[in-house]
Amino acid sequence: MADLFFPVDARVVEWPGPRGDNYHYGTDFAANRGDPVYASFDGVVVFAGGDGAFGELYPGSGIWANGQGLTVDIQRADGLISRVGHMSHISVRVGQRVTARKTVLGGAGDTGFSLGVHCHWELRWDRAWSGGAWVDPRKLNAQPLEDEVDAAQEERIAKKAGK
């Protein structure tokens, strides 16, 4: 399986799992508005835009919005999709090839149904909301973004950690 990385150099604040009467399908990372959100793996952007916060993304598509506001979906060669949501802005376009840990997809934000700025990240085998093809990133050995980062990222990580 190809390398898989977290989309931001920040700490996890919520893993996937039960949330009250619901289930949280993503991983949430602490972030500041506009923090860079990177591609989690090499692939192609298959969606970049707003999810409309309700209803079908495209009439008749069977793909339903989930309140994640501005989202970007990247598809890997084997079909795995990485979705980041609640973004403040998007810096990529549909059809664009992206590179893991190098391509900035946009910035962290709080668009859609969100209680504050963060980066929401999901892995799935289809684009349908809760379509039963969701994957927990811990089972795919996802690695923190800060592995093998450049000197500028090391400095930002150290500042966030108070070092």
Side-chain angles (χ1 to χ4, degrees):
M1 175 129 344
D3 289 332
L4 174 66
F5 300 94
F6 293 170
V8 291
D9 59 355
R11 69 183 171 84
V12 172
V13 293
E14 184 177 14
W15 287 105
R19 185 193 274 174
D21 293 336
N22 297 314
Y23 195 89
H24 183 242
Y25 288 93
T27 302
D28 288 343
F29 297 87
N32 294 308
R33 184 175 316 283
D35 280 356
V37 177
Y38 295 91
S40 295
F41 47 68
D42 296 349
V44 176
V45 177
V46 295
F47 180 80
D51 75 355
F54 62 92
E56 285 183 289
L57 288 176
Y58 316 106
S61 69
I63 300 172
W64 296 90
N66 53 32
Q68 292 175 0
L70 294 178
T71 62
V72 173
D73 291 356
I74 297 167
Q75 191 162 33
R76 196 164 69 179
D78 65 358
L80 184 65
I81 295 170
S82 168
R83 171 179 289 172
V84 290
H86 305 301
M87 300 177 75
S88 63
H89 67 280
I90 295 173
S91 302
V92 293
R93 67 189 184 293
V94 172
Q96 181 177 339
R97 292 201 170 280
V98 297
T99 304
R101 298 185 300 171
K102 295 194 183 331
T103 305
V104 175
L105 306 178
D110 62 350
T111 58
F113 302 142
S114 170
L115 297 176
V117 176
H118 68 289
C119 177
H120 176 86
W121 179 50
E122 297 178 15
L123 296 172
R124 51 185 57 243
W125 290 104
D126 65 25
R127 292 198 55 235
W129 172 245
S130 302
W134 165 86
V135 181
D136 186 328
R138 294 171 289 190
K139 293 183 179 176
L140 296 180
N141 198 28
Q143 301 297 306
L145 182 67
E146 61 265 16
D147 286 352
E148 301 178 31
V149 297
D150 62 29
Q153 276 185 307
E154 284 291 352
E155 188 174 320
R156 284 195 308 273
I157 292 165
K159 282 182 184 176
K160 284 183 180 182
K163 295 179 183 176

